[in-house]
Amino acid sequence: QKEVEQNSGPLSVPEGAIASLNCTYSDRGSQSFFWYRQYSGKSPELIMFIYSNGDKEDGRFTAQLNKASQYVSLLIRDSQPSDSATYLCAVSGGTSYDKVIFGPGTSLSVIP
Amino acid sequence: ETGVTQTPRHLVMGMTNKKSLKCEQHLGHNAMYWYKQSAKKPLELMFVYNFKEQTENNSVPSRFSPECPNSSHLFLHLHTLQPEDSALYLCASSQPLGAGAQTQYFGPGTRLLVL
């Protein structure tokens, strides 16, 4: 079983819609969860991190964490073409403690 | 200069060449990382340094040799590489390990092509 799984996509949404990106992880003891955005040919940049169950909002972005279901998601409201990128989910804590495990990423395309 | 910088940004080398990648962080961090990102594949952690000490070598071939002279600088020495080593090499830094999971900040990467 892969440690961090994401749908590879591509996920296509129309401009202005809500984009929903999902991530599941295998280590039940994981404590910290990160979402990175990576534009083509560029390095990953941190969008959000979340530690507690529930929702965390930052502008148009909302991270949702459900530790019981081992599931973390990222919602992007009012999607813009500039949001088109690959979104990487990263998880740490649990048996890996400090080690951060990245998922394969989901490619998002926002259609004007 | 702020953040994490990497040089060179692009590198083309033959299989018999020796080259080095350089990473420098200006964030006051004490942990530094090398990752490899190949096309259509997830990020692969290669090496981790915490306070200049290597804490992880993720089964990386010996043709990749890291060096961390201080907490701000990290090198990746390359020799006798193979064409399959062509990839984007990313450096990242974070607060020290041992204090829980850390947000990693990435440099722009070095795009490496091995001929």
Side-chain angles (χ1 to χ4, degrees):
Chain A
Q1 181 184 7
K2 294 182 180 177
E3 294 182 80
V4 180
E5 297 195 54
Q6 297 179 253
N7 291 328
S8 61
L11 172 66
S12 293
V13 299
E15 184 174 355
I18 296 175
S20 178
L21 305 164
N22 304 317
C23 173
T24 58
Y25 57 95
S26 61
D27 188 337
R28 184 170 289 279
S30 298
Q31 298 292 325
S32 306
F33 307 87
F34 307 85
W35 282 102
Y36 286 81
R37 177 177 62 199
Q38 186 175 23
Y39 291 113
S40 180
K42 303 294 185 182
S43 59
E45 55 179 329
L46 181 72
I47 300 175
M48 294 186 69
F49 60 87
I50 185 168
Y51 299 145
S52 303
N53 274 328
D55 296 357
K56 180 180 179 181
E57 186 175 319
D58 183 0
R60 295 187 296 112
F61 298 95
T62 299
Q64 298 175 318
L65 175 62
N66 185 327
K67 289 186 179 181
S69 299
Q70 295 174 237
Y71 174 93
V72 58
S73 65
L74 180 70
L75 301 179
I76 307 175
R77 290 182 300 282
D78 188 24
S79 295
Q80 302 297 309
S82 59
D83 295 325
S84 298
T86 296
Y87 290 79
L88 305 173
C89 172
V91 175
S92 73
T95 56
S96 64
Y97 193 48
D98 288 315
K99 186 176 179 180
V100 178
I101 310 296
F102 283 85
T106 297
S107 174
L108 172 66
S109 179
V110 180
I111 311 301
Chain B
E1 195 164 11
T2 59
V4 182
T5 59
Q6 290 186 243
T7 55
R9 297 292 307 277
H10 301 272
L11 179 62
V12 180
M13 59 187 289
M15 289 189 286
T16 58
N17 292 158
K18 290 184 180 181
K19 297 287 184 183
S20 296
L21 309 184
K22 178 183 177 181
C23 175
E24 183 173 0
Q25 59 92 5
H26 307 269
L27 300 170
H29 291 160
N30 285 296
M32 297 187 78
Y33 312 77
W34 279 118
Y35 287 89
K36 175 184 177 182
Q37 189 174 40
S38 304
K40 308 296 184 183
K41 293 179 69 176
L43 280 171
E44 300 175 54
L45 180 65
M46 300 176 73
F47 302 104
V48 181
Y49 278 83
N50 194 43
F51 290 103
K52 302 187 301 178
E53 299 297 321
Q54 187 179 127
T55 60
E56 181 139 0
N57 175 339
N58 208 22
S59 302
V60 180
S62 60
R63 58 185 183 270
F64 295 91
S65 175
E67 178 189 359
C68 188
N70 55 61
S71 293
S72 298
H73 294 85
L74 185 64
F75 295 89
L76 188 62
H77 304 298
L78 316 172
H79 63 99
T80 60
L81 294 192
Q82 305 299 311
E84 59 264 29
D85 297 322
S86 299
L88 179 67
Y89 288 85
L90 291 161
C91 173
S93 72
S94 74
Q95 294 295 340
L97 305 182
Q102 305 299 340
T103 301
Q104 294 183 13
Y105 295 87
F106 286 84
T110 294
R111 177 74 61 186
L112 173 66
L113 176 63
V114 182
L115 300 177

